[in-house]
Amino acid sequence: MSNATFETLKDGKILLNATVPAADVDAAVAQVYRDASKKYKIPGFRPGKAPRNMVENLVGEEYGRAMATDKVVNDTFAQLVDGEGYRVVGQPQFDEESLVTEGEDYTYVVTFETRPELILTDSDVAIKMPPREATENEINAQIDTIRQRFAQLKKARSRKIREDDIVLLSFKSKVDGEEYEGSTVEQYPYHLGQNMMPPEFEEAIVGAKPGQTVEAEFTIEGAEENTEFAGKPIQFEIELHEIQEPELPEVNDDLAIMSGFESEEEMRGEIRSNIEGSKQNSYDNVLRGRLVSALAEKLDGEIPQPLIDSRAEFLKHDFSEMLNQNSMSIEQYIAMSGASLEDFENDVATQAKMGVSEELALEALAREKGLEVGDEDITIELEKIAEQAQMPVDQVRKKWTEAALMTTLHDEIARRKAAEWLVENSEVEIDEEAM
């Protein structure tokens, strides 16, 4: 069992002085050589069966001591810190380490920064929420979507073309001065603002009037999709015929029948039921999320940048894993989204800061309101984990303790209690206009 002392320094950092017993040092050294004997092939011996002296001659004594030192520190530091209820932020700063020596205790010194305990300017939170029930506005919005599906295009009055218009047009195009298959299109209803063509194409159209002919030119990009034309100039001669506007059908039984219902009444009832079913599944989570976001705005104090950076790396890794399941890389996602790498990084950083702020705000609320986490709370949570993992609870407790996750579990329960307090004690105004 390691002996340890913790000292709070003037800058708020923590100094840990830890001494690891000789028996643990010897066990770490032995384990290092056992692992090396399995890793390296030694003639005449099966993996893991070579005598230690032969393994030591192969890898060197300094290697064994260095690897054992890392193992001793890694095995003890996180558990010692977790045992005192600290959560480390950023990289710990170890004093220049000596190497372990078999048969002797080993002492190391490390300075680390801890998760800050910020405060709230106040805990009075008020938000607006839409009703749990479906509103007429929500029902009508879905009906409008159905109407759009059955809309008929009609000719609009002649005027200057706008950025979101539907324009009936024809065009002829050439790549590097040469016609190609599909270079002529006749009487096509083109919807601007949908990114169907590069910006230069639409820029030539916006502001013109039906009856005019405009020209556009740009360089073809996207070598993966256009291997033959990539990097070549393309010219368009675009004839603008008319502006078209969608004519929406009336809301009546006819629309309902076209949509698969027997009547308008049945259509409205089904839409209402679907909206309320969706709200039932998500309403409480949305409510809690908005309350926590509002609470985070009341957080007072500076969040350590390493804490935000660590969260950002976690988010990127999690997102990358999700993309990998769909055989896509982050670089491919960025290219498809039309954003830049800088935009992506900034978005992740914003999400990371928001997530950390919300956690720190909940922790601050738990301290402010005296929402303590006791042994019984920990046990109940471990019992849930044990049931899901189909393991004895004592075994789960041992694994979580060895993994130095008990403080993390404690804080998670504290945040959950704070969120529950927030739901019960905040002002929630029901507003049909709230989204």
Side-chain angles (χ1 to χ4, degrees):
M1 189 70 178
S2 302
N3 294 319
T5 60
F6 292 86
E7 178 186 352
T8 302
L9 304 178
K10 290 182 179 180
D11 60 2
K13 293 183 179 180
I14 306 298
L15 177 70
L16 164 63
N17 190 304
T19 299
V20 182
D24 292 343
V25 171
D26 293 348
V29 173
Q31 184 63 53
V32 165
Y33 284 116
R34 281 197 297 271
D35 292 343
S37 70
K38 296 175 183 178
K39 180 179 179 181
Y40 298 102
K41 185 175 181 179
I42 299 177
F45 296 94
R46 286 183 291 128
K49 299 299 182 181
R52 172 174 162 174
N53 64 325
M54 295 189 68
V55 179
E56 191 171 326
N57 287 336
L58 177 66
V59 301
E61 180 185 356
E62 288 299 302
Y63 167 87
R65 293 178 65 198
M67 295 299 291
T69 301
D70 288 344
K71 180 171 175 56
V72 164
V73 173
N74 292 335
D75 286 352
T76 59
F77 172 70
Q79 291 183 11
L80 290 171
V81 169
D82 187 58
E84 289 296 312
Y86 293 120
R87 291 181 67 182
V88 179
V89 172
Q91 292 297 323
Q93 301 298 313
F94 289 87
D95 285 5
E96 185 173 348
E97 297 179 28
S98 59
L99 299 180
V100 297
T101 300
E102 284 187 277
E104 297 181 8
D105 293 348
Y106 178 72
T107 297
Y108 64 89
V109 178
V110 57
T111 304
F112 59 91
E113 186 176 357
T114 62
R115 190 177 178 88
E117 294 189 351
L118 304 184
I119 61 173
L120 301 168
T121 55
D122 66 79
S123 55
D124 297 328
V125 175
I127 63 167
K128 292 183 178 182
M129 284 286 292
R132 286 181 182 270
E133 302 78 19
T135 67
E136 287 303 311
N137 286 341
E138 290 170 330
I139 294 171
N140 289 334
Q142 292 208 13
I143 290 177
D144 283 343
T145 300
I146 294 174
R147 296 174 71 199
Q148 292 284 352
R149 194 164 74 239
F150 292 103
Q152 299 292 323
L153 292 177
K154 67 174 185 177
K155 182 178 180 179
R157 65 180 178 82
S158 182
R159 55 169 171 78
K160 289 185 178 181
I161 296 170
R162 301 167 186 158
E163 293 180 348
D164 60 350
D165 277 336
I166 299 173
V167 180
L168 186 67
L169 54 79
S170 301
F171 65 74
K172 298 177 181 178
S173 57
K174 295 180 179 180
V175 173
D176 207 11
E178 299 292 334
E179 294 183 357
Y180 58 94
E181 184 178 354
S183 63
T184 299
V185 171
E186 297 289 346
Q187 302 289 318
Y188 180 79
Y190 182 85
H191 195 168
L192 281 76
Q194 304 298 306
N195 298 318
M196 297 171 63
M197 294 286 280
E200 294 88 347
F201 184 89
E202 298 194 359
E203 288 169 2
I205 298 173
V206 173
K209 285 186 175 183
Q212 291 183 325
T213 298
V214 297
E215 295 181 351
E217 182 174 350
F218 52 87
T219 300
I220 300 174
E221 298 181 357
E224 295 180 1
E225 298 84 5
N226 305 289
T227 53
E228 182 182 355
F229 297 146
K232 296 182 179 180
I234 184 170
Q235 303 86 26
F236 287 89
E237 183 181 289
I238 311 165
E239 185 180 355
L240 307 172
H241 302 303
E242 63 184 47
I243 300 172
Q244 297 185 327
E245 292 179 348
E247 184 174 35
L248 303 179
E250 296 293 326
V251 180
N252 51 29
D253 289 346
D254 291 338
L255 175 65
I257 292 170
M258 286 191 293
S259 304
F261 302 99
E262 293 186 358
S263 65
E264 179 187 346
E265 182 180 359
E266 181 187 330
M267 177 175 68
R268 286 185 175 276
E270 184 70 19
I271 291 173
R272 181 184 299 277
S273 177
N274 290 339
I275 291 173
E276 291 181 352
S278 176
K279 282 189 173 183
Q280 184 68 26
N281 294 330
S282 62
Y283 193 90
D284 289 339
N285 287 336
V286 173
L287 171 63
R288 185 180 302 239
R290 291 187 183 184
L291 288 171
V292 174
S293 294
L295 181 72
E297 294 177 3
K298 298 175 178 289
L299 193 64
D300 187 22
E302 186 174 349
I303 302 174
Q305 189 60 42
L307 193 56
I308 298 172
D309 294 341
S310 176
R311 177 62 60 87
E313 287 303 313
F314 171 82
L315 291 175
K316 284 192 285 188
H317 177 268
D318 199 41
F319 187 61
S320 178
E321 288 294 308
M322 182 193 72
L323 290 177
N324 286 339
Q325 292 176 6
N326 294 284
S327 302
M328 183 183 295
S329 67
I330 286 182
E331 291 75 18
Q332 289 171 322
Y333 166 80
I334 292 173
M336 289 179 61
S337 69
S340 66
L341 178 60
E342 183 180 3
D343 292 334
F344 175 77
E345 295 284 355
N346 289 338
D347 185 50
V348 171
T350 298
Q351 291 182 47
K353 186 174 182 179
M354 184 182 304
V356 172
S357 298
E358 291 178 353
E359 287 187 355
L360 293 175
L362 287 172
E363 291 165 16
L365 182 64
R367 290 191 298 272
E368 179 183 311
K369 302 302 178 183
L371 306 175
E372 297 182 356
V373 177
D375 292 339
E376 183 179 357
D377 296 308
I378 297 290
T379 299
I380 290 173
E381 196 64 28
L382 290 175
E383 286 173 347
K384 293 177 183 177
I385 297 169
E387 183 178 358
Q388 292 175 348
Q390 297 183 337
M391 295 170 58
V393 67
D394 290 343
Q395 187 175 346
V396 171
R397 185 185 294 272
K398 181 174 182 293
K399 288 174 68 71
W400 278 62
T401 300
E402 290 175 348
L405 291 172
M406 295 303 288
T407 300
T408 299
L409 181 62
H410 174 283
D411 291 350
E412 184 178 324
I413 297 171
R415 291 194 295 270
R416 191 183 310 150
K417 287 190 172 188
E420 291 169 356
W421 184 96
L422 203 58
V423 171
E424 294 172 1
N425 294 275
S426 298
E427 180 183 339
V428 179
E429 178 186 348
I430 303 302
D431 183 354
E432 287 198 6
E433 299 300 321
M435 298 299 291

